[in-house]
Amino acid sequence: MSLSDRIKPTLDRAKEAAKKLPIKETAAGARKATERAETTLSGWPKGRLIGTGIALAIVLFLAFNIFTSSAFRNARADLTANSLYSLSNGTRTLLSELAEPLHFRLFLSRELVQTAPQLSAYANRVQAMLSTYRDLSNGKITLEVIDPKPFSDDEDRAVGFGINKIRAASLNQELFFGLAATNSTRGSAKIPVFSPDREAFLEYDLTRMVAELGQPKKPVIALIDGIALGGNPMARQPEAQVMTQLKELYTVENLRGDVDALPDGTRVVMVVHPRNVSDRTLYTIDQWVLSGGATLVFVDPFAETAPGLRPGMPAPNPQSDFDKLLTSWGVKFDTKVAVGDPKTAIRAVREVDGRDVPATNLPWLALTKENLATGDALVAQLSNVIVTTAGHFETTSDAVTLKPLLTASPGSGILAASEAGNQTGDPRLLFDRLKVSETPLVLAARLEGTFGTAFPKGKPEKSEAKSKPLTKLEGKPNVILVGDADMTMDRNWIRRRQLLGQVIAEPFANNGAFVLNAVEQMIGGVALADLRGRGVSARPFETIEALAKEAEAKYLKRQQGLQQKLQATERRLAEVAQRTGSDGAVLDDESIKAVEQFRSDLLSTRAELRNVQFDLRREVDGLKSWITLVNVGLVPALVAALALGYAIRRTRRPLPKREPASATRQPTT
């Protein structure tokens, strides 16, 4: 008998025994075998593998955060509309080319940050920004962070540098949050307090400080000031903010009387609202322009802020007088007319017949991006400029062109300057007197082309000018003309308020940036040009403003007619009362009925006038209510609905189904 024949009976008995085993015990044995294989994978138990993986993930997460916080501590994403928090190319260029070593001292009391958590983020940003300036300066800037403790030498240093003290409400001590900077000579600059209101201007303030200290000798600006930019101590009028900012970066020399020579080092001649300028001074400016000298001119058909003969009195002649030079340059500026622009006109409250009336003032313009030549670097970063009772420029020579910087909107026109500058009349009456222009009206422009002297016969009598007279332009002109002098004054672009013990000048328009950009470009620097104009607080609701103007124009004539009827009725009542009161006469029945009718007409006219005023505001109020509803209710509801819809419709992975025991396939032998 062979071996296979002897084994076969044993195999058959084993098969029969396997068939009799329960299926559940067979499946359980397979699962146990699988688990034993998993627990012995790579010689590590499964639980230990999971724990090790979690530990490695935590270590990698911490390492990644430590690396990014160190390598990218100054990086930030700027999602603001005007890129308020991005470091500009002008700042980077200024820092990389800095030749003068600077030392920054940041006085920051740690107790202040702990006491006022709202300042913590701002303090961290200030310190990070200063570190960025230091890193980009190629070693020219050093930074020292000082925590001035009470009654310490550091506190004395802070006071010595002019850093203002801040008193925290919850601490009985004075704290510091300011910056002092010095250069290698005796130059110094400071930010007495880092005010939260100036956070949007942090880069500008720091870059201005670097530009101020980084140049050993400031350029000179020769100024002819006919509008009191320097202030008036007798009238308690402070220095204009434009003048303050110019002095921070440049040396400003005021020219008075007859000027036969400009100060040494003059880089820009700035003429603001010239009046009664002598021929000797005009000749000096004429020769400067013909030599290619930078000249910035502000003329005005009605300078509302010009000083009068006595403090508080209006100027006897609010018109600028610069026609002699403008004519020789091939430019016409009519001082008898002002520009009115229905699209950009400012709505303001004006007292009319003893009542405060909100009305659109056609000659007061809030120019926006549409009115600015955004292709020109001078105004590229600006968002709005406010001019009041401005004039416009035209050319009178084919050899001269104007490159516009500020223009009025289509549909604008001209008004009589005397009527446009009247601050006591009803501004709504100007709508009927507006003469619409067929061509765009240029409010500010660069002068280009060629022209000759305004003094073809040579220098005027008694002039002591020593240079050889020029009769025509040498090279290209470097002249900017602006048709409004009031735009340089504070009322047109800043508001002042107190914060943390100091007066804060908060801009609501870019007028100051326009002036400083123009001067800086003429001198040749561009470091601050792309910083000015960012962070302006005014964010007008343009749609609402346009709707208000449209409604005002729609109901204006009806409202004026009712007001005239109301005034006539009031006059009749006053006449009757005066007549009866003067002679003691008693009114007859007919007169009494007339008086009652007058009173009835008065009440009905007032009621109708209120209805018109209600209709005027109804559309505007309705739009405001709709905007509030959208922002407060509709947008959150829409977001919630989208999230709920996504949660309902998202694809769910089906759970695994357990097969019944009867469906389990029997193991094969």
Side-chain angles (χ1 to χ4, degrees):
M1 182 180 294
S2 63
L3 179 63
S4 60
D5 293 336
R6 280 187 263 177
I7 296 176
K8 185 175 180 182
T10 305
L11 292 175
D12 293 338
R13 288 193 297 270
K15 290 180 179 179
E16 291 297 330
K19 292 179 179 179
K20 296 178 181 179
L21 289 173
I23 293 176
K24 291 183 178 181
E25 295 181 5
T26 305
R31 285 197 300 271
K32 289 180 180 180
T34 303
E35 290 176 358
R36 286 195 298 271
E38 290 178 349
T39 56
T40 58
L41 180 64
S42 302
W44 284 61
K46 181 179 179 181
R48 186 179 297 179
L49 281 174
I50 294 175
T52 303
I54 294 175
L56 288 175
I58 294 175
V59 171
L60 289 175
F61 175 77
L62 294 176
F64 177 77
N65 277 274
I66 293 173
F67 170 75
T68 54
S69 62
S70 176
F72 305 105
R73 64 181 183 274
N74 294 326
R76 56 189 180 274
D78 188 354
L79 303 180
T80 57
N82 294 325
S83 299
L84 303 182
Y85 303 106
S86 298
L87 205 60
S88 68
N89 293 328
T91 296
R92 294 177 180 272
T93 302
L94 176 66
L95 293 173
S96 62
E97 298 176 353
L98 190 62
E100 179 75 9
L102 306 179
H103 185 57
F104 283 173
R105 299 171 183 85
L106 176 61
F107 293 94
L108 176 60
S109 298
R110 293 302 172 188
E111 290 83 354
L112 177 64
V113 178
Q114 297 170 0
T115 306
Q118 66 274 18
L119 291 178
S120 178
Y122 186 29
N124 291 334
R125 179 170 178 248
V126 169
Q127 191 167 347
M129 183 76 80
L130 291 173
S131 299
T132 303
Y133 275 58
R134 178 197 59 198
D135 297 339
L136 295 177
S137 66
N138 299 323
K140 291 295 183 180
I141 293 179
T142 56
L143 175 61
E144 181 182 3
V145 182
I146 304 170
D147 181 12
K149 301 294 184 182
F151 308 106
S152 65
D153 293 339
D154 290 334
E155 184 183 36
D156 294 338
R157 293 175 64 194
V159 175
F161 278 112
I163 306 301
N164 290 350
K165 296 180 179 180
I166 303 173
R167 180 172 293 278
S170 58
L171 292 178
N172 190 23
Q173 64 183 39
E174 294 174 327
L175 307 175
F176 297 87
F177 184 25
L179 178 68
T182 55
N183 57 16
S184 61
T185 58
R186 295 185 178 180
S188 63
K190 63 183 178 182
I191 299 178
V193 174
F194 281 104
S195 169
D197 277 14
R198 292 287 300 178
E199 184 174 3
F201 304 91
L202 177 60
E203 185 185 354
Y204 171 75
D205 291 338
L206 296 178
T207 301
R208 182 190 62 189
M209 181 179 291
V210 173
E212 178 182 354
L213 296 177
Q215 50 189 2
K217 188 175 182 180
K218 295 181 179 180
V220 175
I221 298 176
L223 173 66
I224 295 179
D225 181 12
I227 204 168
L229 288 175
N232 187 349
M234 298 295 295
R236 296 184 179 179
Q237 177 183 345
E239 182 180 74
Q241 188 68 20
V242 165
M243 176 69 80
T244 302
Q245 294 183 345
L246 285 173
K247 288 181 177 180
E248 290 175 349
L249 297 171
Y250 312 104
T251 299
V252 180
E253 296 285 351
N254 282 295
L255 306 182
R256 297 181 177 88
D258 295 325
V259 179
D260 295 317
L262 298 175
D264 294 338
T266 296
R267 300 288 297 277
V268 175
V269 172
M270 182 172 170
V271 182
V272 184
H273 189 44
R275 294 180 301 168
N276 304 320
V277 182
S278 67
D279 281 351
R280 292 168 61 179
T281 302
L282 291 176
Y283 175 77
T284 302
I285 299 174
D286 173 81
Q287 296 297 295
W288 169 261
V289 171
L290 294 179
S291 66
T295 310
L296 178 59
V297 180
F298 294 85
V299 287
D300 203 313
F302 198 105
E304 299 156 340
T305 58
L309 298 178
R310 295 181 180 179
M313 297 293 292
N317 183 12
Q319 299 176 348
S320 298
D321 182 13
F322 207 61
D323 189 59
K324 189 168 188 175
L325 290 188
L326 291 176
T327 302
S328 68
W329 298 345
V331 176
K332 178 184 177 182
F333 183 80
D334 190 351
T335 56
K336 295 181 180 180
V337 297
V339 176
D341 187 348
K343 184 176 182 180
T344 63
I346 297 175
R347 285 177 54 81
V349 177
R350 180 75 66 82
E351 184 177 343
V352 179
D353 297 328
R355 298 181 178 88
D356 290 336
V357 178
T360 300
N361 195 6
L362 281 179
W364 286 18
L365 314 180
L367 306 177
T368 62
K369 281 285 188 181
E370 297 179 359
N371 307 101
L372 276 60
T374 54
D376 194 299
L378 193 154
V379 294
Q381 297 296 329
L382 308 186
S383 57
N384 68 322
V385 174
I386 293 180
V387 297
T388 51
T389 321
H392 70 288
F393 298 96
E394 299 176 279
T395 58
T396 58
S397 170
D398 295 336
V400 174
T401 58
L402 294 172
K403 186 179 179 182
L405 295 172
L406 305 175
T407 56
S409 305
S412 59
I414 58 175
L415 301 160
S418 58
E419 295 180 352
N422 183 9
Q423 302 299 302
T424 59
D426 188 347
R428 297 170 298 181
L429 300 177
L430 297 177
F431 278 89
D432 294 334
R433 302 169 186 175
L434 181 68
K435 297 180 180 179
V436 178
S437 174
E438 297 179 357
T439 58
L441 298 177
V442 178
L443 306 178
R446 296 183 187 272
L447 182 61
E448 298 180 344
T450 59
F451 46 82
T453 179
F455 298 88
K457 297 181 180 180
K459 61 183 181 180
E461 185 179 357
K462 297 183 180 180
S463 174
E464 299 178 1
K466 298 179 181 179
S467 59
K468 181 180 178 180
L470 299 175
T471 58
K472 61 180 181 179
L473 179 68
E474 295 183 351
K476 296 181 179 180
N478 189 7
V479 178
I480 293 178
L481 303 174
V482 184
D484 182 41
D486 297 309
M487 70 167 296
T488 61
M489 301 301 285
D490 291 353
R491 70 156 197 177
N492 278 38
W493 69 284
I494 68 168
R495 62 175 64 92
R496 298 179 186 271
R497 61 193 185 94
Q498 288 195 352
L499 183 68
L500 299 178
Q502 65 174 347
V503 178
I504 300 296
E506 182 181 14
F508 57 84
N510 297 138
N511 296 26
F514 178 92
V515 177
L516 294 174
N517 282 356
V519 172
E520 187 173 69
Q521 276 198 357
M522 288 179 159
I523 290 177
V526 294
L528 296 175
D530 57 352
L531 288 178
R532 300 190 184 102
R534 295 159 63 175
V536 176
S537 61
R539 298 294 299 273
F541 295 99
E542 297 177 357
T543 303
I544 292 178
E545 288 291 329
L547 189 61
K549 292 177 182 178
E550 182 180 349
E552 183 182 38
K554 181 178 179 181
Y555 296 103
L556 177 61
K557 291 186 179 298
R558 184 181 171 192
Q559 184 177 3
Q560 289 177 344
L562 289 173
Q563 286 180 335
Q564 292 175 358
K565 180 180 178 181
L566 181 64
Q567 292 172 359
T569 304
E570 289 175 341
R571 283 197 302 270
R572 294 191 188 101
L573 283 173
E575 290 173 358
V576 172
Q578 183 178 8
R579 185 172 60 252
T580 57
S582 60
D583 54 12
V586 178
L587 295 178
D588 54 16
D589 293 341
E590 184 176 352
S591 298
I592 292 176
K593 290 181 180 180
V595 170
E596 293 296 330
Q597 183 63 39
F598 286 157
R599 289 176 177 172
S600 176
D601 291 344
L602 182 66
L603 294 175
S604 62
T605 302
R606 285 179 176 174
E608 191 175 357
L609 184 59
R610 285 195 297 270
N611 291 333
V612 171
Q613 293 173 344
F614 173 77
D615 292 338
L616 191 152
R617 297 192 305 268
R618 181 176 54 190
E619 296 181 14
V620 177
D621 293 340
L623 180 59
K624 290 181 180 179
S625 300
W626 172 248
I627 292 175
T628 303
L629 175 63
V630 169
N631 283 276
V632 175
L634 185 59
V635 172
L638 181 60
V639 172
L642 291 175
L644 182 61
Y646 174 77
I648 294 175
R649 296 179 58 86
R650 69 173 183 166
T651 304
R652 294 180 178 271
R653 186 174 64 181
L655 296 174
K657 296 181 180 179
R658 171 177 283 184
E659 297 182 0
S662 59
T664 305
R665 192 174 65 177
Q666 296 182 357
T668 57
T669 57

